[in-house]
């Protein structure tokens, strides 16, 4: 059954059965349509600035995306089983208050990716119009373009799941044509052996590309994907179907624009300003398509993480509605775009936030996945909502609402990973000991898993959990 076009009022409270009418293919199209955008192509440009050639980037992006999927795709089952967002569902493992750790991570991830999408969309509008008019891009024009894109994206996020899923599905065809036409437009300048001078050498550059152009994409959805799988009914759909549709959507949706971005960056020799180089080298017939990609393409790319920010703010502050949270998040993100552009370079800012947040999000995802398996893949929906209803107690209360074992495991993993993280803005002290290779994400995953299993998950052994076939029907209070 198709979702009705209406402003969604539902927050992170348990999703009732009559609203769980989406299909796994709906989630797949959301993931594909929201990533076929200019903002996603930026992550293909980044490895070019590191000095990698075409086939090196293809290998890094493909391998990294596949590795990230091993962690992110199974996490689609948290929202599917618990009928709520992934961060609220993770309260079963971190505690109903400890799950705020995931909410903060989700907020930061979504904030960063929304900012990149708004910047990309606004910048595309400015550089294309500047080329057509023959004038230099002005700061006033940039401010107006960023603000206009932010308003459009905020409207989409406030509309909610139904509007986002419709827009994402509609955008798949046109954006696929835009990217396909772009291959034709920029093919004359493509040289697979070309690489930009400077940047890290050899293995360090490839490892950095593995993270920024590959692993970071799926991991960014670890806290987000449950926002959409909570609309799938376990009575009508299998867990395998949910995982495979999520994996297919993430793999195709993330890899295609990343490789397109690398292709265009190499064709235009975009070592510095990515979008200005793209607009300058584009044939005249492609400029309208580039403008369309800048405006329409960023809607899903920014709308999906902004929608998540609204939900996370509602989870952090239950008395605040999801719609108010989405609007506030749009204003905060717009301010971040202006601040980031005026203080640090785009390449440095994007690379830095991707590396650091991937390291911080990975141990959370590892613990949530282990906990999901250890709890038998079932959740007590009533007890998950204790914090949202300003109550206390329940099977996920642990110690004052915090599972200190899970939180300690996350802290240990994040700290270990940050010590071995390497980016233009931050280099951990252990990077020199690992031969200059940034393996912080692997270290964070390994340390968090070991500590969590050694300390014990904290779940009450032998205590039966109510079957999800009854608990997920619990009436939800909408906000």
């Amino acid at each position: 059954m198709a979702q009705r076009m209406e402003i969604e009022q539902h927050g992170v409270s348990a999703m009732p059965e009559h609203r769980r009418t989406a299909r796994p293919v709906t989630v797949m199209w959301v993931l594909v349509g929201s990533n076929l955008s200019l903002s996603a192509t930026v992550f293909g440009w980044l490895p070019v600035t590191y000095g990698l050639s075409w086939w090196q980037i293809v290998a890094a992006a493909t391998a990294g995306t596949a590795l990230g999927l091993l962690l992110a795709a199974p996490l689609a089952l948290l929202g599917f089983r618990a009928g709520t967002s992934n961060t609220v569902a993770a309260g079963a493992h971190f505690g109903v208050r400890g799950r705020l750790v995931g909410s903060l991570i989700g907020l930061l991830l979504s904030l960063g990716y929304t900012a990149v999408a708004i910047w990309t969309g606004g910048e595309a509008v400015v550089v294309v119009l500047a080329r057509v008019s023959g004038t230099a891009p002005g700061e006033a024009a940039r401010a107006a373009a960023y603000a206009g894109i932010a308003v459009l994206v905020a409207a989409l996020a406030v509309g909610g799941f139904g509007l986002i899923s419709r827009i994402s599905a509609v955008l798949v065809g046109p954006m696929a044509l835009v990217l396909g036409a772009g291959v034709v437009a920029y093919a004359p300048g493509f040289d697979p052996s070309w690489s930009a001078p400077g940047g890290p050498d050899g293995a360090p550059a490839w490892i950095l590309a593995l993270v920024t152009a590959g692993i970071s994409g799926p991991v960014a959805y670890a806290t987000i994907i449950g926002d959409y799988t909570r609309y799938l009914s376990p009575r009508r759909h299998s867990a395998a179907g949910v995982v495979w549709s999520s994996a297919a959507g993430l793999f195709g949706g993330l890899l295609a624009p990343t490789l397109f971005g690398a292709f265009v960056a190499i064709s235009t020799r975009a070592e510095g300003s990515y979008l200005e180089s793209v607009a300058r080298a584009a044939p005249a017939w492609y400029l309208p398509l580039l403008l369309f990609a800048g405006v329409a393409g960023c809607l899903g790319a920014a709308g999906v993480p902004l929608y998540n920010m609204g939900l996370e703010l509602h989870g952090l502050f239950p008395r605040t509605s999801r719609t108010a949270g989405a609007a506030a998040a749009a204003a905060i993100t717009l301010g971040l775009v202006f601040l980031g552009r005026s203080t640090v370079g785009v390449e440095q800012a994007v690379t830095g936030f991707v590396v650091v947040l991937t390291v911080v999000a990975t141990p959370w995802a590892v613990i949530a996945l282990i906990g999901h398996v250890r709890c038998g893949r079932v959740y007590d929906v009533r007890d998950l909502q204790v914090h949202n209803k300003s109550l206390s107690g329940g099977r996920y209360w642990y110690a004052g609402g915090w599972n200190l074992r899970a939180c300690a495991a996350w802290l240990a993993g994040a700290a270990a990973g940050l010590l071995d993280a390497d980016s233009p803005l931050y280099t951990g002290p252990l990077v020199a000991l690992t031969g200059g290779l940034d393996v912080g994400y692997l270290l964070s995953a390994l340390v968090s898993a070991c500590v969590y299993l050694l300390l014990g998950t904290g779940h009450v052994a032998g205590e039966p959990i109510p079957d999800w076939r009854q608990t997920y029907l619990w009436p939800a209070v909408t906000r």
Side-chain angles (χ1 to χ4, degrees):
M1 182 184 299
Q3 295 291 323
R4 291 184 299 169
M5 296 292 288
E6 58 181 5
I7 295 179
E8 178 188 347
Q9 299 298 319
H10 201 86
V12 294
S13 51
M15 187 65 65
E17 168 65 8
H18 73 271
R19 299 198 62 183
R20 304 184 76 167
T21 56
R23 297 178 299 162
V25 70
T26 304
V27 175
M28 184 186 73
W29 288 129
V30 167
L31 298 175
V32 173
S34 64
N35 283 297
L36 292 182
S37 65
L38 281 183
S39 65
T41 69
V42 168
F43 295 95
W45 162 63
L46 291 177
V48 174
T49 68
Y50 307 155
L52 297 183
S53 62
W54 168 250
W55 290 113
Q56 291 174 317
I57 296 172
V58 170
T62 304
T65 303
L67 283 173
L69 284 177
L70 295 177
L71 184 60
L75 288 174
L77 295 178
L78 268 69
F80 175 65
R81 291 298 195 192
T84 186
S85 67
N86 270 13
T87 53
V88 173
H93 319 304
F94 287 87
V96 292
R97 288 179 175 169
R99 57 94 172 169
L100 300 180
V101 170
S103 292
L104 290 174
I105 293 172
L107 274 172
L108 292 174
L109 283 168
S110 296
L111 181 65
Y113 282 97
T114 304
V116 171
I118 292 176
W119 166 78
T120 306
E123 197 72 11
V125 171
V126 170
V127 296
V128 170
L129 294 181
R131 177 181 162 180
V132 172
S133 63
T135 60
E139 292 304 312
R142 281 191 167 91
Y146 296 155
I149 294 292
V151 170
L152 290 175
V153 171
L156 181 62
V158 167
F161 173 81
L163 184 57
I164 289 175
S165 60
R166 292 280 184 89
I167 294 295
S168 297
V170 168
L171 284 175
V172 171
M175 285 304 301
L177 290 175
V178 169
L179 297 185
V183 173
V184 175
Y186 296 103
F190 181 67
D191 179 4
S193 64
W194 179 84
S195 60
D201 296 323
W206 194 86
I207 294 295
L208 187 58
L210 185 77
V211 178
T212 57
I215 294 174
S216 66
V219 170
Y221 280 85
T223 61
I224 293 177
I225 197 166
D227 299 352
Y228 302 94
T229 57
R230 66 190 178 129
Y231 280 92
L232 305 177
S233 170
R235 286 191 165 184
R236 292 187 295 276
H237 305 293
S238 67
V242 173
V243 172
W244 281 110
S245 62
S246 301
L250 286 173
F251 188 78
L254 291 168
L255 188 59
T258 297
L259 295 183
F260 176 80
F263 177 88
V264 172
I266 289 175
S267 299
T268 60
R269 309 296 189 265
E271 304 172 40
S273 178
Y274 172 61
L275 288 171
E276 287 188 11
S277 299
V278 169
R280 189 184 311 117
W285 63 265
Y286 191 66
L287 291 177
L289 298 180
L290 195 59
L291 187 62
F292 171 82
V295 177
C298 78
L299 291 179
V304 165
L306 189 59
Y307 173 66
N308 175 258
M309 290 173 70
L311 286 174
E312 298 296 0
L313 287 173
H314 172 60
L316 288 170
F317 309 103
R319 295 186 179 183
T320 301
S321 68
R322 182 200 65 81
T323 53
I332 295 171
T333 305
L334 183 59
L336 182 66
V337 171
F338 288 119
L339 178 63
R341 192 179 184 282
S342 63
T343 54
V344 295
V346 173
E347 181 268 333
Q348 288 186 325
V350 175
T351 300
F353 109 79
V354 165
V355 169
V356 171
L357 286 182
T358 298
V359 166
V360 172
T362 296
W364 179 90
V366 167
I367 293 168
L369 190 57
I370 293 175
H372 177 71
V373 174
R374 293 291 292 270
C375 75
R377 304 174 182 85
V378 290
Y379 296 88
D380 187 326
V381 176
R382 290 182 176 88
D383 285 354
L384 281 176
Q385 297 293 331
V386 164
H387 173 76
N388 301 328
K389 299 181 179 301
S390 301
L391 301 175
S392 61
R395 69 179 67 246
Y396 306 128
W397 189 245
Y398 296 103
W402 297 79
N403 183 356
L404 299 180
R405 300 175 185 181
C407 292
W410 172 76
L411 280 173
L418 289 174
L419 290 175
D420 197 36
D422 187 22
S423 75
L425 297 180
Y426 166 80
T427 298
L430 296 183
V431 173
L433 299 179
T434 55
L437 300 180
D438 176 4
V439 293
Y441 57 95
L442 292 177
L443 189 61
S444 66
L446 180 62
V447 170
S448 60
C450 290
V451 172
Y452 188 47
L453 293 174
L454 287 174
L455 292 179
T457 64
H459 293 128
V460 180
E463 183 179 353
I465 298 177
D467 192 282
W468 56 264
R469 293 177 180 83
Q470 285 82 46
T471 59
Y472 87 113
L473 295 174
W474 181 47
V477 177
T478 60
R479 300 190 67 87

